[in-house]
Amino acid sequence: MTKPILRGPRVTLRDTVPGDVDARYALGNTPDIVKMFGGDPGQVRDITRDAAESWVKTVADDSHAWIIEAGGALLGSLRLHLINFADKRALIGIGILDQNALGHGYGTEAMQVLATHAFDTMGLHRLGCRVLTFNERAIAAYKKVGFVVEGQERESAFIDAEWHDDLIMGLLDRDLVRLT
């Protein structure tokens, strides 16, 4: 199955291309970004070429995962997972890996583009996600898309020698803030 190319005003969600390994490798691993994903920033090591290849292969092999591109540059990836067509729901996950792209609305737009595809093309009714409570930038982006906080899971992640909570957020098709 070929993944559709999904476009917004500034971002394109696409399948992998040969140059993505070099682009992922060039982005490296940033401790602050790794922490926002739930990793231990003290354990971050320089990215290897094998790790960059593995990251690209993971996106390529998942029929519901896309590269986020803006201005011809790879910014990160996003995907739908645990898709349940009977209940018309899935989980969404996003990762912006380019530090310079953070805080410019690329993640928000990418989620709007993917949610529109999930609701209008795939026929889903609900998207859900988990986000660490200290990841204020991600929480703000999810809320701009229309996600609402539905609950909080206490002490669900042990990061940097401390327990942290996860917010459980959900988006219904009727609540999506669509691109204009």
Side-chain angles (χ1 to χ4, degrees):
M1 180 175 124
T2 304
K3 293 178 199 176
I5 296 173
L6 308 174
R7 297 184 196 282
R10 299 181 307 148
V11 302
T12 299
L13 308 183
R14 60 164 176 80
D15 204 351
T16 58
V17 297
D20 287 342
V21 172
D22 292 335
R24 175 61 188 98
Y25 183 75
L27 288 174
N29 288 327
T30 307
D32 289 341
I33 290 174
V34 169
K35 183 175 181 179
M36 294 303 136
F37 295 163
D40 186 344
Q43 300 297 315
V44 173
R45 302 291 176 256
D46 289 340
I47 193 169
T48 63
R49 186 117 183 119
D50 285 346
E53 289 172 1
S54 177
W55 183 88
V56 171
K57 183 175 179 356
T58 298
V59 174
D61 290 348
D62 186 333
S63 61
H64 292 98
W66 289 264
I67 297 291
I68 303 168
E69 178 182 287
L74 184 153
L75 303 183
S77 68
L78 80 166
R79 71 183 185 122
L80 297 174
H81 56 106
L82 296 177
I83 300 169
N84 181 326
F85 286 105
D87 290 334
K88 299 179 182 256
R89 63 186 165 117
L91 297 179
I92 189 171
I94 183 170
I96 301 292
L97 299 168
D98 183 342
Q99 273 186 287
N100 298 319
L102 295 172
H104 296 284
Y106 295 115
T108 300
E109 183 180 323
M111 287 188 292
Q112 287 171 307
V113 168
L114 183 55
T116 298
H117 173 72
F119 296 145
D120 295 352
T121 305
M122 296 174 65
L124 299 182
H125 171 68
R126 173 188 169 75
L127 297 177
C129 70
R130 304 170 65 96
V131 60
L132 290 157
T133 54
F134 62 75
N135 193 343
E136 294 173 8
R137 185 182 354 249
I139 294 165
Y142 282 116
K143 286 181 176 180
K144 286 178 190 172
V145 174
F147 280 83
V148 297
V149 175
E150 298 177 332
Q152 186 163 332
E153 189 173 15
R154 299 178 306 143
E155 297 184 4
S156 57
F158 193 67
I159 302 165
D160 210 14
E162 291 183 38
W163 285 107
H164 297 278
D165 297 354
D166 267 326
L167 288 183
I168 309 303
M169 299 183 78
L171 174 69
L172 302 179
D173 54 1
R174 65 180 171 264
D175 298 327
L176 172 62
V177 176
R178 293 181 181 265
L179 293 165
T180 54

